[in-house]
Amino acid sequence: MATLFGDNAPWKRSKKDEALAAEGASVVDGQAQPTVDGVAAGATPADARPINKDASASNEFWVEGDPIADTKAPDGPVETMWQRRQFEASLVNPANRRKIDVIIVGTGLAGAAAGATLGEAGYNVKSFCYQDSPRRAHSIAAQGGINAAKNYKNDNDSVYRLFYDTVKGGDYRSRESNVYRLAEVSANIIDQCVAQGVPFAREYGGLLDNRSFGGVQVQRTFYARGQTGQQLLIGAYQALERQIGAGTVEMFNAHEMLELVIVEGKARGIIARNLRTGEIETHMADAVVLATGGYGNVFFLSTNAMGSNVTAAWRAHRKGAYFGNPCYTQIHPTCIPQSGDKQSKLTLMSESLRNDGRIWVPKDAADCDKDPREIPEEARDYYLERIYPAFGNLVPRDIASRQAKNMCDEGRGVGPAIAEVGPDGEERMVRRGVYLDFASAIERMGQEAVAAKYGNLFDMYERITGENPYEVPMRIYPAVHYTMGGLWVDYDLQSTIPGLFVAGEANFSDHGGNRLGASALMQGLADGYFVLPNTINDYLATEGQSGVTADHPEAQAALREVTERVEKLLSINGTRSVDSIHRELGTIMWEYCGMERSDAGLRTAIEKIRALREEFWTNVKVPGAAATLNQSLEKAGRVADFLELGELMCIDALHRRESAGGHFRAESQTEDGEALRHDDEFAYVAAWEYTGAGSTPVLHKEDLVYNAIEMKQRSYK
């Protein structure tokens, strides 16, 4: 680890900070903070360290630490790695499992699957979700499908091809061993879900049907119309409920994790707030699993559920869990465009629509005001088919998104003009939309057949926009959807904190710089049903049955941290609403750390976020009380963590001076505008260590080594 103290310290206090400190105040970003026992309220003692202001210009925002490595993946061929790891992992006999407690935070596909599987194995599971029911987890919103290497279409698919497509789709920035395992267990997921009664689409003869998704040239995506996530979650939910009924799983609805309890360096519990009563509770266990999804709501406008947040993962990060590749954000190309500045979320239209829909804009900007039905074929630019003839409308999400932005930046966007703040700070009116047209598909297949495949999606679009997509082309535009970054984990899905495991979207491991469509559901269920239950036992066999209770001093300290942070949020009593600050943060993130990024823009974003965080902690208004239902308080805690995460995302994006997948640096592109990697400099995972609020984070690098795949420039032409 890099030295953080002494003559080589990367930070120094300013004269203002020294003066404030001399008066007994804790100092964060140049501001005196309310203190509790000499520590800023809601902070740990390390948080008193001031921000790095004097580091060299080359890395003024971070310090490089020791490299990190995944030591759990066995040596040898990737094809046999998973079987060898399962055999080498220690086991816990059934009688001993009854004595071991596991906390699982999150009840989406990864969390529900893990809870059901570990409960059925005989462990005592405590399952937590902030929703009023496990069935309301955000996994329910996934639409298009789930990938699996079954080769039902006999089109030359295989485990290796799914592995290859996923690594290539992630622009060679994911870990080879994890991705091969994901492809390997994918076929088991389909069998599991069919046995649960998931109503996958079937062909006329009764066999399971498949369709294509972006970034591949085979049909491997299993689906249930446009409701695949909902149907898969119901399957996992009923398995979880079965274990609740059997007494192996205890369910805590409407509970939000606000802190991780670390005892003697190991994860031993959580502090959670009962969102209905406001009571702050301590729950202890022998291991903790986070399956809390992604952090796309740092952008305010995203396709995520309004409650989706980063708090559980971020509190773990503050306690020592490294954060991997935080700047890797997926932009989904097929979303209903923003309609105004009062909007609170965006709606996803399934990528499966790109199977039969054709994407275009007018060739002439003068036609953008016309009814699309009046624009003849020869005046339309089917730009994805033109630029990428081999893949056409089924290029990966990052490429489709960037090209849609390019068309709109050229002035050929369609739909109503909306206000947008440009890089120069000036407000302008722009059209942010492209057409997704089903006229050819309806002519070829008939409206009834199109409705059978996509009917619920068409109905949803019409209810939101008031336009009939059978008659008028849909309008779509890219939006923040998934996050490929997350807590760093090894091959066993264990974080840098022993006993803390991370599953699904909350970890970083499988998707690199861009997630291919229909792979999120695959990873969530793979981690929950097949990976975690076969790796957590290796830890529990030697470290389980801790006997640590809520009376332990470290558990009590964590409880005080949460209580003090809640009191601090309620005491500020400023003039700005939580939503107004969150919206401003989202605007900064989208403008400077969204679809296109630059050195100058990211530095500007970091300055703006720091100023906004100072505004939050001195001028936010959180009405109500702690010991009651208080949604404003819930939002405030989440936005406080988003403000810290947003800065780390910009620092991560700034340090990575290359384009990779959805991370597009304006300074790093090919002559024809495609993403340009620099494998000699950046073929690694960026694992960030937290060193205190306002202090310089430490960058640890995990080298990415490919033995089964050759790294090369992506091409979908």
Side-chain angles (χ1 to χ4, degrees), residues 275-320:
L275 300 182
R276 294 181 178 131
T277 67
E279 182 180 0
I280 298 175
E281 306 169 358
T282 303
H283 296 270
M284 306 300 288
D286 300 305
V288 177
V289 178
L290 299 186
T292 50
Y295 47 87
N297 275 350
V298 68
F299 290 87
F300 188 74
L301 285 178
S302 80
T303 66
N304 287 205
M306 291 291 290
S308 296
N309 63 84
V310 76
T311 288
W314 191 254
R315 305 322 293 185
H317 174 58
R318 288 172 61 102
K319 285 293 181 73

Side-chain angles (χ1 to χ4, degrees), residues 107-109 112 134-146 193 196-200 222-238 456-457 460 521 525 529:
T107 58
L109 291 181
R135 276 193 59 182
R136 293 179 66 87
H138 185 56
S139 298
I140 202 170
Q143 297 169 344
I146 177 172
C193 294
Q196 290 175 336
V198 173
F200 287 123
F222 296 78
Y223 65 99
R225 296 187 73 188
Q227 306 169 347
T228 314
Q230 178 179 352
Q231 299 302 330
L232 291 172
L233 184 62
I234 290 172
Y237 166 75
Q238 67 186 14
N456 62 306
L457 298 171
M460 183 171 65
L521 305 184
L525 291 179
Y529 281 135

Side-chain angles (χ1 to χ4, degrees), residues 392-433:
N393 295 298
L394 286 174
V395 292
R397 291 174 173 179
D398 60 320
I399 292 175
S401 295
R402 191 159 59 250
Q403 290 298 348
K405 180 180 184 297
N406 291 342
M407 297 302 114
C408 294
D409 287 347
E410 290 177 9
R412 294 195 284 150
V414 299
I418 62 171
E420 181 180 279
V421 178
D424 54 3
E426 296 294 321
E427 187 172 280
R428 59 192 180 187
M429 301 302 291
V430 295
R431 300 179 189 276
R432 292 298 184 192

